[in-house]
Amino acid sequence: MTLTRLKNKDIIFFIVVIFILIAIGSIWIIQSFGSKEDTYFLIGVSQPNLQEPWRIVMNKEIQESANEYEHIRIIFTDAATSSHKQEKDIQKLIDYGVDLLIVSMNDTERLTPIVADIYKKIPVIVLDRDVIGYDYTLFIGLDNYSIGRKAGNYLRRMRGKQTLNVVEIKGITDSPPVRDRSNGFKQAIKDNSDINIVASIEAHWQPDKAHDKFVELIKESPNIDVVYAHSDAMAFGAYKGLKDKHQEITFIGMDGLQGTNGGLELIRKGILDSTYTCPTGGKEAIRYAVSILNKDKGIPKKIILRSHEITADNLNTYIQEQQSRTHKKDPITLGFAQVGSESSWRLANTESIKQAAQEANIHLIFKNVDNRLSDKEKQKKQIQYMEEFIEQKVDVIAFSPIVEEGWEKILIKAKKAKIPVLLSDREVNVDDSLWTSYMGSDFVEEGRRAARWLMDYTKTTEGILNIVELQGTYGSAPAIGRKEGFEEVIKYHKNYNLLYSEIGSFNYADGKATMKRILESTNEKIHVVYAHNDDMAFGAIEAIEEYGLVAGKDIIVISVDATKQAFKYMVIGKLNCAVECNPLLGPQMMKAVKDLMAGNELPIRIITEEDVYTQENAKYTISSRKY
């Protein structure tokens, strides 16, 4: 009996000990994996192929960057250039339970619907090749058109007076990077009749194919002066085809990778005359993936990575700059020169910057231009503020340029002082080596969105639709871009007639006065008003009503900004559509400033997330509108 009791007690004691150990283990698991810093995340990476050296480097950078985080695990797949296989690869990654998908697509058109469906469930980062539409969390890529144009401009500079015969070596002809690199190059040389593309080779990014096809070509066409290749590897393949020939040819490549037979080594050896860095985005993908999974503030919708032109003259300088990036701890000082307060959008933008700086513990020196000044006086005042920032030796300068032209001298001065300059919501027309990054909206895309909405809304309307366009400040980036994008979409449709395109300077009073003058002076019926911002649209609406017409019914009214006031106008039916231009750039800017001070190279363009709103959806979202 006693022995039985003892055994029972032992059993009970043993069970209690087990429960205690389980409890301790559970606490350890929670402490190890339950915090924000140490939560275990699984990331899937779907590549279209791993035949390109550039993509192999991309995977390497993704893995090396992920290794810096103990709580990140990566699964890679290779579709081997098959869209069908990539579809299966993506589904496998989802079945594995990945928390975030990184994908570079083999066929954008075919895979966009699949990516869009996955985006409804988990975050998606699209690398290198953009999807159709905006159903993704973040796009990271290059401006391949601009890179091609840089290569063409280099050839123009080095040409002298000689005639040049050029062979272009492409990747895969129909792929977006190839199309853009080719078109950008051709655009740059189009006015030079002495630069002739005499042949084009499709080498599928493979150096061996570039070698074999170039050897055959040079037998038939020996008078070749330049090889323009869409990758350093293909350029090197073609170069090796010259081994037994005594011929001087200029080789231009792209990628600018480090390592054996990378673009930088080929420049050093004198094999390539120039290359253009094409960052893979692997490092940035992991850095932003961690921020997305941790639900950090300041996540953009799209980032375009910077490309550098590398020649023998600047190779060592470039490498030194990459190795000696600024690493500065708090406190960070940011000088910001605001353009004024011409609209409710600008007021929201100013408040966002001030609040975000305070939350990020960044010392902000904020200067705002008097709104009563002329545009010329505003620019002069902004330049004065920037000179003061340089004298104060701030860490970073940011500003919203009133117009695109006239900034070169002050930006050169900032560069000499080694102070990086950020452009906020507006761009400048100077060499991009003088500024670090633009953050804000894609103004051309905003114009396109306005036009696409109009065409969809009026698709059953017969006859000519007369349009009045109210432009923003003359020469400003938003006005130029919104006009360009809108006209790009409607120009092929003859029933959309841009009757008037007038300056309204982004303010209510000018918008009203301009619209009033047009209504009173024209004999034509006006069907649509497209205003470059909400304030001008509000002024136009008042002018329409005073003229005896009903805004939103007799005349369709479209605006850009989508402020809360615009939502009120849509709810009551006076405004038909508002294309969002997000003013809340503060968190995005402070993240960029901190990344910059941590030694990271910023993208050349950081595009914020935006949407399109109509009378139908405005009433459901107005209550949550923050500006």
Side-chain angles (χ1 to χ4, degrees), residues 104 146 181 213 216 293 331 382 405 408 473 517 539 558:
S104 181
S146 174
R181 290 179 189 186
K213 290 189 176 184
E216 291 301 314
L293 290 168
Q382 279 188 298
E405 307 290 342
E408 193 165 11
T473 302
R517 174 170 50 79
I558 308 166

Side-chain angles (χ1 to χ4, degrees), residues 16-294:
V16 170
V17 169
I18 289 173
F19 274 112
I20 291 171
L21 289 172
I22 290 171
I24 292 171
S26 299
I27 293 168
W28 180 83
I29 289 169
I30 292 167
Q31 289 175 339
S32 298
F33 299 105
S35 67
K36 183 178 180 180
E37 292 77 18
D38 297 321
T39 301
Y40 177 86
F41 290 124
L42 186 62
I43 296 175
V45 179
S46 172
Q47 288 280 18
N49 71 80
L50 287 178
Q51 296 176 2
E52 307 166 42
W54 185 79
R55 292 201 176 277
I56 294 171
V57 172
M58 181 193 288
N59 271 9
K60 182 182 177 184
E61 289 184 357
I62 288 173
Q63 187 61 68
E64 288 178 348
S65 298
N67 290 343
E68 298 175 12
Y69 303 90
E70 293 182 0
H71 59 296
I72 294 293
R73 299 290 181 271
I74 308 291
I75 304 175
F76 293 93
T77 62
D78 170 17
T81 71
S82 167
S83 296
H84 177 67
K85 185 176 185 306
Q86 190 166 29
E87 288 178 359
K88 290 188 173 182
D89 286 347
I90 291 171
Q91 188 55 55
K92 282 181 182 177
L93 292 172
I94 299 305
D95 291 342
Y96 288 148
V98 297
D99 299 290
L100 181 143
L101 174 68
I102 297 174
V103 58
S104 181
M105 286 177 284
N106 189 62
D107 184 334
T108 295
E109 190 170 341
R110 178 169 174 173
L111 293 167
T112 287
I114 294 170
V115 170
D117 186 57
I118 291 168
Y119 171 62
K120 296 173 184 176
K121 304 164 189 172
I122 62 171
V124 177
I125 294 178
V126 178
L127 268 181
D128 173 41
R129 298 175 184 177
D130 207 351
V131 302
I132 300 166
Y134 291 87
D135 289 329
Y136 54 82
T137 309
L138 173 66
F139 169 77
I140 302 174
L142 296 159
D143 184 346
N144 286 293
Y145 183 88
S146 174
I147 295 171
R149 195 170 57 202
K150 283 184 177 183
N153 288 334
Y154 170 80
L155 200 58
R156 287 174 55 197
R157 293 197 308 271
M158 58 80 66
R159 177 183 65 85
K161 295 181 180 179
Q162 63 186 129
T163 298
L164 298 177
N165 292 326
V166 181
V167 172
E168 183 178 20
I169 303 181
K170 301 179 177 181
I172 300 172
T173 298
D174 293 331
S175 66
V178 169
R179 182 182 61 242
D180 291 343
R181 290 179 189 186
S182 184
N183 290 341
F185 184 81
K186 290 172 182 175
Q187 175 66 25
I189 66 170
K190 70 175 184 177
D191 296 329
N192 291 76
S193 57
D194 293 334
I195 301 177
N196 306 301
I197 299 177
V198 295
S200 181
I201 295 172
E202 184 177 15
H204 292 259
W205 306 108
Q206 298 304 304
D208 292 343
K209 284 188 178 181
H211 171 275
D212 295 344
K213 290 189 176 184
F214 186 69
V215 167
E216 291 301 314
L217 177 67
I218 206 164
K219 288 177 184 176
E220 302 172 5
S221 306
N223 297 321
I224 294 170
D225 305 296
V226 179
V227 169
Y228 164 53
H230 291 192
S231 77
D232 296 331
M234 292 190 296
F236 187 44
Y239 170 83
K240 288 191 289 187
L242 283 178
K243 191 184 296 181
D244 301 324
K245 296 187 178 294
H246 302 287
Q247 190 169 350
E248 290 291 329
I249 292 181
T250 295
F251 284 87
I252 298 173
M254 289 184 175
D255 286 348
L257 300 175
Q258 299 196 37
T260 304
N261 293 332
L264 300 187
E265 184 184 86
L266 296 177
I267 290 285
R268 192 181 300 282
K269 289 180 176 179
I271 294 172
L272 294 184
D273 288 74
S274 71
T275 186
Y276 299 84
T277 60
C278 300
T280 69
K283 298 174 185 176
E284 291 79 5
I286 293 300
R287 194 165 73 241
Y288 275 99
V290 171
S291 293
I292 290 166
L293 290 168
N294 285 336

Side-chain angles (χ1 to χ4, degrees), residues 197-437:
I197 299 177
V198 295
S200 181
I201 295 172
E202 184 177 15
H204 292 259
W205 306 108
Q206 298 304 304
D208 292 343
K209 284 188 178 181
H211 171 275
D212 295 344
K213 290 189 176 184
F214 186 69
V215 167
E216 291 301 314
L217 177 67
I218 206 164
K219 288 177 184 176
E220 302 172 5
S221 306
N223 297 321
I224 294 170
D225 305 296
V226 179
V227 169
Y228 164 53
H230 291 192
S231 77
D232 296 331
M234 292 190 296
F236 187 44
Y239 170 83
K240 288 191 289 187
L242 283 178
K243 191 184 296 181
D244 301 324
K245 296 187 178 294
H246 302 287
Q247 190 169 350
E248 290 291 329
I249 292 181
T250 295
F251 284 87
I252 298 173
M254 289 184 175
D255 286 348
L257 300 175
Q258 299 196 37
T260 304
N261 293 332
L264 300 187
E265 184 184 86
L266 296 177
I267 290 285
R268 192 181 300 282
K269 289 180 176 179
I271 294 172
L272 294 184
D273 288 74
S274 71
T275 186
Y276 299 84
T277 60
C278 300
T280 69
K283 298 174 185 176
E284 291 79 5
I286 293 300
R287 194 165 73 241
Y288 275 99
V290 171
S291 293
I292 290 166
L293 290 168
N294 285 336
K295 296 180 170 53
D296 292 343
K297 293 183 178 180
I299 306 297
K301 188 69 174 178
K302 182 181 289 193
I303 63 174
I304 307 301
L305 303 172
R306 179 177 284 276
S307 174
H308 299 269
E309 180 179 272
I310 311 296
T311 65
D313 293 334
N314 71 350
L315 174 62
N316 290 333
T317 302
Y318 169 76
I319 292 174
Q320 288 170 6
E321 287 177 351
Q322 296 300 305
Q323 293 174 345
S324 60
R325 292 196 170 278
T326 303
H327 287 76
K328 186 180 188 302
K329 295 182 179 179
D330 294 339
I332 298 168
T333 300
L334 168 66
F336 190 97
Q338 183 62 285
V339 71
S341 53
E342 81 281 0
S343 65
S344 54
W345 188 98
R346 186 63 58 188
L347 294 173
N349 175 248
T350 294
E351 181 58 31
S352 173
I353 291 165
K354 290 180 176 179
Q355 183 177 340
Q358 185 176 1
E359 291 176 357
N361 196 31
I362 290 175
H363 176 50
L364 176 67
I365 305 174
F366 192 91
K367 299 283 188 178
N368 204 347
V369 173
D370 188 337
N371 211 48
R372 294 169 294 182
L373 299 176
S374 67
D375 290 347
K376 189 174 182 179
E377 290 171 327
K378 284 182 178 180
Q379 183 175 31
K380 188 176 179 180
K381 201 69 176 173
Q382 279 188 298
I383 291 172
Q384 177 192 319
Y385 292 151
M386 292 166 73
E387 286 175 340
E388 291 174 6
F389 295 152
I390 293 170
E391 290 174 6
Q392 294 168 341
K393 297 181 179 180
V394 301
D395 297 305
V396 183
I397 292 173
F399 76 115
S400 296
I402 179 72
V403 292
E404 287 192 340
E405 307 290 342
W407 303 100
E408 193 165 11
K409 288 183 180 179
I410 187 63
L411 292 177
I412 289 173
K413 192 171 182 179
K415 186 171 184 177
K416 287 180 178 178
K418 296 183 178 179
I419 300 175
V421 177
L422 307 180
L423 309 178
S424 176
D425 93 85
R426 295 186 180 186
E427 298 182 74
V428 294
N429 188 21
V430 299
D431 188 281
D432 62 28
S433 66
L434 296 179
W435 48 273
T436 302
S437 184

